């Protein structure tokens, strides 16, 4: 049996001491995030009702809500939201696969890095709008060009993130793998992959954010469906409420998709040693 | 038997870290290597482990030349180096990946019990103290039952109490299967508590200066006169190896037998 004298060993504080009132705070925390938008919206509604602003250029929440309701009733909201969502999802998947593979290879092999990275960094500097005319020329004005544009947007943050993460894997941990004689594949699966996971998830979220930006660029030029189309349509028909409604829809869907990534990834990241649980 | 046959290591930047190290370690022996900084003790240990290869000479274990990490050679580093994404039990069982699940669970459970951390089996490494993490690291290295265990200053990052604790603990664990231990340290007392043989190295380039045997019966009493005698021998050897001398009141020059922390 063990001869360790437990009295001498210094024990750390019991794992994760919860501050007082923590069980209440758990559901309250996400609600805190809503306080600011709700307060601002309430204030604006109040301001328009009081006549401080005519509420035409910046419609009050009640008008925006009505616009939403109309769009939902006519089925247009679902149609446009789904069109945009579909494009973002396809572009995201393509961009993530390409970015992950490219980042992993350039992170692992210095020759590939020297060959590929300068070109990729140059391409990264090209602003999104600049790609639109070229892609329309190459891939037409329908879905393909839009999805590829989004994929390009998603690719770069994922590529950078994966490459950076692979390059900064702790050598000391890799040596543990070497001491246990892990084969190349086992080293990647058991050490490199878990080690890069936190940075990878962050790069996925950054890629998704850019994907939402790029879908707007794509839908601005040559789309007949989608939230971006709704936005431009609102501008051309002089319906500011529709513009704001489209923007709000973007914000909600964008936030929801980001939250989805965090949710799916969180069981894989419970081990992280972080300063404070967010 | 572990044999170092004129092992030398010169780095690409022409730093001559090791020169002509020849050493024979018998099965089950505990050898502790001690020396001034820059004497190449960690380099030597890494050469034995297979993580680095010597530029001259060779390391031979039971007739096999070591050029890469070997199944029968385990290693414990100065930092615990636990994999942060695995719980304690999975860390301990890391080297048993190719074993059937049942045997792995059983060996891990018994190893954790042996180091007194059974209740921490499902915790994350970030939740452990330094001493606990190092105990897990030792358990992880011993669980595959290697013939040789290398330890590179395993307790130097810990406080004095925990260090003394873990030294006793290591001896206790060693008594189970009696692997060959080769350990590097800069703590003279630690060396004498643990070693059958103390190898004093000298720097620039790293060479073996002196070997001091220690056959005191275990467990060794840190306060005993015999212990103190060996300690003075080791300290004197260290001072001579670094060519450190002091002139006494009578005017004679002698090696400075300093205190426990001499580096």
């Amino acid at each position: 049996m063990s001869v360790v004298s437990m009295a001498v060993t210094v024990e750390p504080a019991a794992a994760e001491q919860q501050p007082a009132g923590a069980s209440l705070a758990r559901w309250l925390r996400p609600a805190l995030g809503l306080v600011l938008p709700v307060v601002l919206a309430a204030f604006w509604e109040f301001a328009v009702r009081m006549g401080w602003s005519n509420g035409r250029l910046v419609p009050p929440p009640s008008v925006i809500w009505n616009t939403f309701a109309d769009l939902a009733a006519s089925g247009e909201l679902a149609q446009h939201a789904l069109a945009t969502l579909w494009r973002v999802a396809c572009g995201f998947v393509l961009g993530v696969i390409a970015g992950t593979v490219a980042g992993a290879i350039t992170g692992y092999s210095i020759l590939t890095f020297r060959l590929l990275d300068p070109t990729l960094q140059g391409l990264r500097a090209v602003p999104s709008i600049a790609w639109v005319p070229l892609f329309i020329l190459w891939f037409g004005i329908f879905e393909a060009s839009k999805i590829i544009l989004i994929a390009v947007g998603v690719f770069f943050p994922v590529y950078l993130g994966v490459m950076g993460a692979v390059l900064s894997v702790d050598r000391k941990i890799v040596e543990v793998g070497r001491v246990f004689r892990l084969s190349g594949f086992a080293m990647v699966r058991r050490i490199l992959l878990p080690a890069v996971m936190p940075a990878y998830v962050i790069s996925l979220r950054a890629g998704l954010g850019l994907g939402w930006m790029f879908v707007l660029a794509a839908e601005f030029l040559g789309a007949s469906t989608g939230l971006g189309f709704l936005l431009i349509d609102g501008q051309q028909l002089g319906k500011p409420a529709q513009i704001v409604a489209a923007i709000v829809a973007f914000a909600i869907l964008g936030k929801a998709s980001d939250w989805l990534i965090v949710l799916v990834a969180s069981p894989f990241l419970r081990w992280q040693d972080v300063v404070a649980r967010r | 038997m572990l044999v170092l046959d004129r092992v030398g290591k010169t780095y690409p930047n022409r730093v001559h870290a090791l020169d002509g190290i020849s050493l024979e370690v018998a099965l089950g022996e505990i050898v502790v290597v001690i020396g001034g900084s820059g004497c190449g003790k960690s380099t030597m240990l890494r050469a034995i482990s297979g993580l680095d290869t010597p530029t001259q000479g060779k390391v031979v274990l039971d007739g096999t030349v070591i050029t890469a990490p070997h199944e029968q050679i385990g290693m414990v580093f100065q930092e615990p180096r636990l994999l942060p994404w695995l719980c304690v039990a999975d860390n301990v069982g890391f080297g048993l990946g190719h074993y059937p699940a049942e045997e792995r669970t059983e060996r891990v459970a018994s190893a954790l019990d042996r180091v007194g951390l059974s209740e921490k089996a499902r915790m994350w490494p970030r939740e452990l103290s330094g001493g606990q993490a190092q105990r897990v690291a030792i358990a992880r290295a011993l669980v595959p039952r290697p013939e040789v265990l290398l330890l590179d200053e395993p307790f130097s990052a810990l406080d004095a109490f925990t260090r003394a604790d873990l030294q006793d603990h290591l001896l206790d664990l060693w008594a189970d299967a009696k692997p060959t231990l080769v350990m590097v340290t800069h703590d003279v007392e630690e060396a004498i508590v643990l070693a059958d043989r103390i190898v004093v190295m000298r720097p620039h380039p790293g060479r073996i200066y002196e070997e001091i045997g220690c056959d005191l019966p275990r467990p060794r009493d840190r306060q005993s006169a015999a212990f103190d005698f060996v300690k003075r021998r080791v300290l004197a050897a260290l001072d001579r190896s670094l060519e450190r001398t002091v002139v006494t009141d009578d005017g004679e020059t002698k090696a400075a037998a300093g205190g426990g922390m001499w580096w």
Side-chain angles (χ1 to χ4, degrees):
Chain A
M1 288 298 117
S2 160
V3 298
V4 175
S5 59
M6 299 302 273
V8 177
T9 308
V10 176
E11 296 280 355
E16 322 274 28
Q17 293 270 20
Q18 295 277 336
S23 52
L24 178 74
R26 277 199 72 199
W27 65 264
L28 202 59
R29 261 182 249 142
L32 277 177
L34 289 171
V35 164
L36 188 64
V38 164
V39 162
L40 285 176
F43 170 75
W44 190 241
E45 182 74 35
F46 181 71
V48 169
R49 292 273 168 93
M50 292 298 294
W52 299 339
S53 163
N54 70 349
R56 209 195 78 78
L57 283 180
V58 187
S62 49
V63 173
I64 297 173
W65 177 259
N66 290 336
T67 315
F68 258 114
D70 292 341
L71 287 169
S74 65
E76 280 178 81
L77 185 66
Q79 175 201 9
H80 293 302
L82 278 172
T84 302
L85 264 175
W86 170 248
R87 289 167 189 144
V88 173
C90 292
F92 182 70
V93 168
L94 281 179
V96 163
I97 292 175
T100 307
V101 170
I105 296 178
T106 54
Y108 208 70
S109 148
I110 218 176
L111 179 66
T112 328
F113 174 83
R114 292 203 179 117
L115 285 174
L116 283 184
D117 188 67
T119 310
L120 287 173
Q121 294 297 349
L123 289 173
R124 185 167 79 96
V126 175
S128 53
I129 308 280
W131 291 115
V132 174
L134 198 63
F135 285 178
I136 290 179
L137 211 60
W138 284 349
F139 307 116
I141 60 167
F142 297 111
E143 297 307 300
S145 55
K146 299 180 180 62
I147 290 175
I148 291 175
L149 185 74
I150 295 165
V152 165
V154 171
F155 171 83
F156 287 110
V158 174
Y159 164 71
L160 266 184
V162 172
M163 179 177 76
V166 171
L167 285 174
S168 58
V169 170
D170 191 355
R171 177 186 64 85
K172 298 188 162 118
I173 298 285
V174 172
E175 273 191 355
V176 172
R178 286 181 61 202
V179 165
F180 283 109
R181 301 168 323 280
L182 295 186
S183 69
F185 181 67
M187 181 74 86
V188 170
R189 184 176 63 87
R190 299 180 72 186
I191 293 201
L192 291 179
L193 222 60
V196 304
M197 196 57 70
Y200 186 54
V201 170
I202 290 178
S203 73
L204 288 182
R205 295 173 68 185
L208 183 65
L210 276 188
W212 281 101
M213 271 171 52
F214 275 58
V215 78
L216 195 65
E219 287 177 356
F220 266 3
L221 300 108
S224 54
T225 53
L227 294 172
F229 161 75
L230 213 60
L231 210 143
I232 286 293
D233 187 57
Q235 181 212 357
Q236 287 172 347
L237 296 180
K239 294 189 201 168
Q242 186 170 305
I243 298 176
V244 178
I247 290 176
V248 170
F250 259 111
I252 292 175
L253 287 178
K255 177 78 184 93
S257 55
D258 178 70
W259 175 77
L260 202 66
I261 292 185
V262 173
L263 196 71
V264 168
S266 75
F268 298 96
L269 298 178
R270 273 180 308 140
W271 53 266
Q272 274 192 286
D273 194 5
V274 292
V275 174
R277 295 250 153 247
R278 291 261 173 263
Chain B
M1 180 149 85
L2 178 68
V3 177
L4 275 75
D5 182 17
R6 284 159 302 175
V7 166
K9 177 81 183 174
T10 311
Y11 286 105
N13 60 359
R14 311 234 253 126
V15 169
H16 196 33
L18 282 182
D19 186 41
I21 306 283
S22 288
L23 189 66
E24 275 182 25
V25 184
L27 191 65
E29 198 183 347
I30 303 182
V31 169
V32 177
V33 180
I34 196 164
S37 69
C39 69
K41 41 192 205 288
S42 286
T43 311
M44 183 178 87
L45 211 68
R46 288 177 65 91
I48 302 176
S49 73
L51 286 174
D52 293 333
T53 40
T55 43
Q56 300 102 39
K58 56 188 195 288
V59 177
V60 181
L61 176 67
D62 297 336
T64 324
V65 177
I66 303 292
T67 49
H70 192 276
E71 185 177 31
Q72 293 299 334
I73 302 180
M75 188 144 176
V76 176
F77 299 91
Q78 188 171 351
E79 324 81 18
R81 300 196 189 182
L82 300 181
L83 302 176
W85 52 84
L86 294 179
C87 68
V88 164
D90 289 336
N91 261 289
V92 173
F94 189 74
L96 298 179
H98 47 280
Y99 278 56
E102 266 176 36
E103 196 187 335
R104 192 175 349 136
T105 337
E106 190 223 304
R107 286 229 227 170
V108 164
S110 103
L112 278 175
D113 188 50
R114 217 51 198 87
V115 294
L117 290 171
S118 295
E119 352 54 91
K120 308 237 186 263
R122 301 249 75 88
M123 290 179 109
W124 301 112
R126 67 167 196 266
E127 299 174 288
L128 301 176
S129 71
Q132 290 168 338
Q134 197 62 298
R135 274 191 272 158
V136 174
I138 295 174
R140 176 176 69 180
L142 283 177
V143 126
R145 297 192 198 137
E147 209 178 289
V148 176
L149 183 63
L150 307 174
L151 302 109
D152 191 355
E153 303 196 39
F155 309 136
S156 63
L158 304 170
D159 64 273
F161 289 123
T162 318
R163 213 181 306 150
D165 219 24
L166 290 190
Q167 287 159 13
D168 294 333
H169 207 72
L170 182 64
L171 282 176
D172 193 50
L173 290 170
W174 169 78
D176 285 347
K178 296 244 174 63
T180 310
L181 292 189
V182 180
M183 179 159 133
V184 162
T185 185
H186 54 239
D187 182 344
V188 174
E189 278 198 18
E190 181 167 286
I192 302 169
V193 165
L194 294 170
D196 292 321
R197 199 178 0 146
I198 298 172
V199 172
V200 178
M201 286 183 71
R202 58 163 303 173
H204 313 315
R207 282 201 197 102
I208 293 181
Y209 179 74
E210 193 173 323
E211 293 188 28
I212 297 172
C214 183
D215 52 8
L216 300 176
R218 294 194 178 96
R220 293 173 181 167
D221 181 5
R222 286 176 177 76
Q223 326 289 353
S224 70
F227 191 96
D228 197 53
F229 178 72
V230 181
K231 187 168 156 189
R232 287 182 183 283
R233 273 190 72 192
V234 174
L235 286 171
L238 282 164
D239 280 332
R240 272 181 277 117
S241 76
L242 295 171
E243 284 151 26
R244 275 186 352 180
T245 53
V246 85
V247 179
T248 64
D249 294 338
D250 306 328
E252 52 170 306
T253 309
K254 65 172 203 176
M261 307 271 176
W262 55 272
W263 73 100

